[in-house]
Amino acid sequence: MTIWKPELSPEGPRYRALANAIERAINEGKLPPGERLPPQRRLADALGVTVGTITRAYALVEQSGLVSAQVGSGTFVKVERACEGFARVIKAPHEGLVDLGMSLPPPHPERQASLARFMTAITQDPAALDQAINYPLDDTMATQRRRYADWLTSQGLAVDPQELLITQGGTNGITLALSVLLSPGDRLAAEALSYPGVISTARERSLKTVAVPFDEEGIDVEALAARHERTPFKALYLMPEHHNPTTVQLSEKRREALVALARERDFWLIEDGVMHLPLEARGTPLYQLAPERTIFVFSVAKILGGGLRSGVVRAPTSLLAQLRIALRNQCWAPPALISEIAGRWLESNDADRLLAWQFEELEVRQAMVREALGGFEVAMRRGGFYAWLTLPGEHRAQALVETLEQNGVRVAPAETFCVGSTAAPQAIRICLSAAPDREALAQALAVIARALSEAAPPRWQTV
Ligand SMILES: Cc1ncc(COP(=O)(O)O)c(C=O)c1O
């Protein structure tokens, strides 16, 4: 039987090179959760090193929490690791904390009242209540598909209701796309920094991730072509309008080049449009440029609220039957009641009113960031939730995040978004929409500005 045998970097001690290779293989999905690492003697023979080198390397990887040694049976890739991506980001808030780590829309003062109105209306509509109680079927979801299609079309995202599938939100949409396009062991390409939910889901599904560099114009299409040449992938996940976390937008030129490459090399595009920007701030959707090979993922999480768990995927009709089956296997269908609430909300003027307010509020909050962090390198996009701050001088993201947390402010370090073994830049994502109000945001920004103007803590603790 052949065993997993890594390529070792020629630099540094052998045990460390092996530990790095194992970590990389785990992060890239080559050693999936639950996989047993090769028996130590066999790997030692295969690599031409001593058993002691292998023991040291395995111990090092165990220290980093990626594997666990079980007496008598071997060393295994930890299964919990599969879900860690998200667990690391989502920590419980504590008293007095301004949490700018989560991605939330700014809370409209009338949002609750608006939700209450739709809920009350449904309680007085026997037909809607009947539908809410019974298992939803494709037919009963037709109204919701039409409501989503009408609203998206009114936003310049023209879709045919026949191309839509109602989901339980963006994460569900991404999972469905991955489950119909890729099998365990297949490769998924993504921008080198990406949405943690997709990294986590890819890992859980034992997919291998291919990290692709990007710059201020978005994903580097030439680098993407080179990656595909070396390690062909089946699908590319990306956020063309508002890259999470960096706020970069894919230029029109790159969109065209990307679509041409996808057609030439025959890979799928998973276009995440969950972060919804004003029409004037958006480019041409990829699903309009390449409808035959793009799954567009949308949810109401960033416009109405994440608690609703409602969204859609738009896909070519050739894929819809498979997506429907995958949804049925996973959860039968999204809750009819929630879909009805979200559908009515979108159909009403309320959703547009809340959204108009949201864009205005974001403009004010972005101006506050420019004012408070004016001397630093900060990227923001009109209508977006994030400020991506590249740290000055010797500041390190992880240390800064800890300092801020001790001072009552939570932000997300770049590390959270790294795909595979991508090296994290020294940067943080500040979700300026997540502050409960402007006052809390001002307070948090002052804490961040102060921490940045102080000297970075020393980190040289060895000789
Ligand atoms: C880029 C992106 N896609 C998808 C999602 C998940 O959306 P949902 O909450 O609807 O599952 C998020 C949530 O933050 C996101 O930032």
Side-chain angles (χ1 to χ4, degrees):
M1 205 178 87
T2 57
I3 59 164
W4 174 79
K5 186 179 152 204
E7 288 277 318
L8 298 192
S9 140
E11 280 136 40
R14 299 299 68 209
Y15 75 94
R16 195 167 283 285
L18 174 58
N20 289 343
I22 295 171
E23 289 194 15
R24 207 174 321 114
I26 292 172
N27 283 327
E28 288 172 355
K30 288 180 188 147
L31 287 172
E35 181 91 355
R36 184 174 173 220
L37 298 189
Q40 298 196 11
R41 176 158 299 283
R42 287 195 61 199
L43 188 57
D45 290 346
L47 293 175
V49 298
T50 65
V51 175
T53 299
I54 308 290
T55 309
R56 267 184 99 178
Y58 281 15
L60 206 58
V61 185
E62 193 177 6
Q63 271 169 29
S64 69
L66 292 177
V67 298
S68 67
Q70 291 166 23
V71 179
S73 31
T75 301
F76 294 82
V77 179
K78 276 198 190 166
V79 174
E80 311 89 271
R81 177 77 185 159
C83 309
E84 208 199 49
F86 252 167
R88 247 193 299 167
V89 194
I90 302 168
K91 290 188 267 168
H94 52 77
E95 192 64 25
L97 177 83
V98 183
D99 189 346
L100 307 181
M102 288 279 279
S103 173
L104 307 176
H108 191 293
E110 284 173 36
R111 200 161 49 149
Q112 284 192 7
S114 175
L115 174 60
R117 266 201 303 283
F118 294 108
M119 289 168 66
T120 310
I122 291 171
T123 63
Q124 287 152 11
D125 181 342
L129 286 173
D130 193 48
Q131 276 195 8
I133 281 172
N134 290 305
Y135 275 124
L137 301 170
D138 290 339
D139 288 355
T140 49
M141 284 298 191
T143 308
Q144 320 306 356
R145 283 199 297 271
R146 189 205 26 90
R147 285 170 167 159
Y148 262 103
D150 286 351
W151 188 81
L152 286 168
T153 302
S154 77
Q155 293 286 313
L157 292 162
V159 280
D160 180 341
Q162 305 294 341
E163 301 171 327
L164 296 185
L165 184 71
I166 306 278
T167 65
Q168 294 193 18
T171 311
N172 184 212
I174 293 167
T175 309
L176 290 170
L178 296 182
S179 62
V180 299
L181 299 179
L182 301 117
S183 305
D186 281 347
R187 288 194 194 93
L188 171 73
E191 287 132 330
L193 299 181
S194 191
Y195 169 51
V198 86
I199 302 172
S200 182
T201 308
R203 188 180 282 167
E204 191 190 38
R205 305 189 72 81
S206 299
L207 302 176
K208 297 172 186 161
T209 46
V210 177
V212 186
F214 60 96
D215 57 26
E216 62 286 351
E217 274 197 74
I219 197 156
D220 179 337
V221 181
E222 277 176 28
L224 184 71
R227 293 280 196 286
H228 192 272
E229 193 76 42
R230 226 175 331 132
T231 47
F233 46 84
K234 280 198 177 161
L236 165 70
Y237 164 89
L238 78 169
M239 298 160 275
E241 301 309 346
H242 184 274
H243 177 254
N244 181 2
T246 66
T247 83
V248 161
Q249 184 168 74
L250 188 62
S251 70
E252 287 294 314
K253 213 167 107 217
R254 294 252 178 113
R255 287 175 203 238
E256 276 161 29
L258 173 60
V259 163
L261 183 71
R263 286 190 169 131
E264 183 201 312
R265 304 285 174 90
D266 194 20
F267 58 82
W268 283 88
L269 301 170
I270 304 172
E271 177 179 28
D272 186 327
V274 169
M275 177 63 71
H276 186 69
L277 302 186
L279 177 59
E280 324 77 72
R282 278 183 260 137
T284 314
L286 297 178
Y287 76 83
Q288 290 178 4
L289 293 174
E292 82 290 355
R293 60 184 60 252
T294 307
I295 298 184
F296 176 68
V297 178
F298 179 75
S299 100
V300 296
K302 311 300 170 190
I303 55 171
L304 300 178
L308 282 178
R309 314 307 306 136
S310 181
V312 279
V313 288
R314 174 271 156 210
T317 41
S318 58
L319 263 194
L320 273 174
Q322 275 170 273
L323 284 163
R324 227 173 262 133
I325 292 169
L327 181 71
R328 208 164 269 185
N329 288 341
Q330 286 171 21
C331 63
W332 180 264
L337 178 59
I338 292 295
S339 308
E340 181 67 19
I341 294 172
R344 284 184 186 218
W345 213 341
L346 289 175
E347 200 170 43
S348 73
N349 279 336
D350 276 24
D352 290 346
R353 208 162 43 81
L354 295 191
L355 194 55
W357 174 88
Q358 174 165 314
F359 292 146
E360 279 169 27
E361 178 66 15
L362 287 166
E363 234 173 277
V364 174
R365 291 185 181 213
Q366 291 192 351
M368 290 170 67
V369 173
R370 276 190 284 275
E371 171 91 27
L373 303 176
F376 303 105
E377 198 183 326
V378 182
M380 291 183 285
R381 181 157 304 278
R382 191 168 151 223
F385 292 2
Y386 315 130
W388 176 248
L389 173 71
T390 303
L391 303 188
E394 290 180 352
H395 280 285
R396 313 290 292 182
Q398 201 56 48
L400 182 74
V401 166
E402 280 159 28
T403 306
L404 293 177
E405 179 97 20
Q406 282 157 16
N407 288 286
V409 176
R410 181 174 292 163
V411 297
E415 177 74 29
T416 309
F417 306 92
C418 288
V419 172
S421 55
T422 299
Q426 299 309 323
I428 56 170
R429 188 194 75 179
I430 304 165
C431 186
L432 50 101
S433 54
D437 49 43
R438 293 178 192 171
E439 202 187 329
L441 179 64
Q443 223 179 16
L445 292 172
V447 170
I448 296 171
R450 201 173 335 112
L452 289 173
S453 56
E454 281 165 7
R459 61 194 154 85
W460 303 276
Q461 290 163 355
T462 187
V463 286

